[in-house]
């Protein structure tokens, strides 16, 4: 999909905007499952891959992280910057307009302590998906945690209406087990309890070896 398409979705009220902060991410921090390491160099660093209007990035900044959010939709990033200012965490949030599948993202240097992806990787296909996987590998290190929320299903198992909507209009899905094929060589992967809604959503918490 192109940035102009997402700009249109944001202007019309993208469905995921109603979620706000990921409930799964909020729960992992509350339970201490996502570590907030104490570093003599300063606050731990988080990268929000496909940050949109910044709800998760701002939440992480409010919980002790210095956060970089990356998205290719400038319209969404303007709202993300406003959100950070409204929450008084603009000193701990930085937003970058870039393509996450690029071999290098100017102004985004790793490694990060935490990476999060709320529905971006599953919205890619082919070389773009592979490029984004390489970005995750490049910007992580041993001990980095990676929270991934995605749609995971065999397309043949989707109802026909959903199949058309998900694969042709909005996004593709990740196939069952694809997380292992993409990341299993470098990360230990835990599948978290599936969100009750929407159907076919899946969450993973990974730790870089």
């Amino acid at each position: 999909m192109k940035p102009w398409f997402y700009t249109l979705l944001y202007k019309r009220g993208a469905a995921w905007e109603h979620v706000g902060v990921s409930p799964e991410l909020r729960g992992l921090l509350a339970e201490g499952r996502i570590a907030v390491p104490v570093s003599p160099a300063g606050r731990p660093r988080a990268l929000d891959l496909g940050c949109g209007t910044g709800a998760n990035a701002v939440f992480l900044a409010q919980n002790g992280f210095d956060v970089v959010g990356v998205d290719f939709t400038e319209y969404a990033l303007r709202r993300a910057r406003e959100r950070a200012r409204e929450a008084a965490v603009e000193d701990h949030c930085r937003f970058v307009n870039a393509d996450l599948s690029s071999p290098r993202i100017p102004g985004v240097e790793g490694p990060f302590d935490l990476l999060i992806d709320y529905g971006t990787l599953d919205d890619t296909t082919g070389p773009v998906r592979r490029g984004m996987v390489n970005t995750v590998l490049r910007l992580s290190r041993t001990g980095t945690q990676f929270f991934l929320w995605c749609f995971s299903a065999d397309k043949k198992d989707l109802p026909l209406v959903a199949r058309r909507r998900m694969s042709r209009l909005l996004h593709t899905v990740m196939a069952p087990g694809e997380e292992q094929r993409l990341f299993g060589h470098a990360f230990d992967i835990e599948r978290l309890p599936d969100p009750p809604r929407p159907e076919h959503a899946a969450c993973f918490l990974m730790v870089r070896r």
Side-chain angles (χ1 to χ4, degrees), residues 166-195:
M166 296 173 74
S167 65
R168 297 180 188 173
L169 296 179
L170 293 182
H171 53 68
T172 58
V173 295
M174 287 180 60
E178 188 172 358
E179 74 286 345
Q180 286 289 344
R181 294 193 292 275
L182 295 177
F183 298 107
H185 66 288
F187 285 84
D188 294 323
I189 303 174
E190 175 189 359
R191 182 164 183 156
L192 303 171
D194 290 348

Side-chain angles (χ1 to χ4, degrees), residues 28-57:
L28 288 169
L29 259 75
E31 296 163 12
R33 297 289 315 280
I34 287 181
V36 185
V38 177
S39 168
R43 292 158 63 107
R45 303 180 69 220
L47 175 64
D48 188 349
L49 301 147
C51 64
T53 59
N56 289 322

Side-chain angles (χ1 to χ4, degrees), residues 22 31 49 52-53 62 65 81 89 96 114 129 134 157 193 196 202 204:
S22 158
E31 296 163 12
L49 301 147
T53 59
Q62 292 171 320
F65 286 88
R81 295 181 185 106
V89 294
V96 177
L114 172 67
R129 183 171 291 187
N134 290 337
D157 295 332
F204 302 91

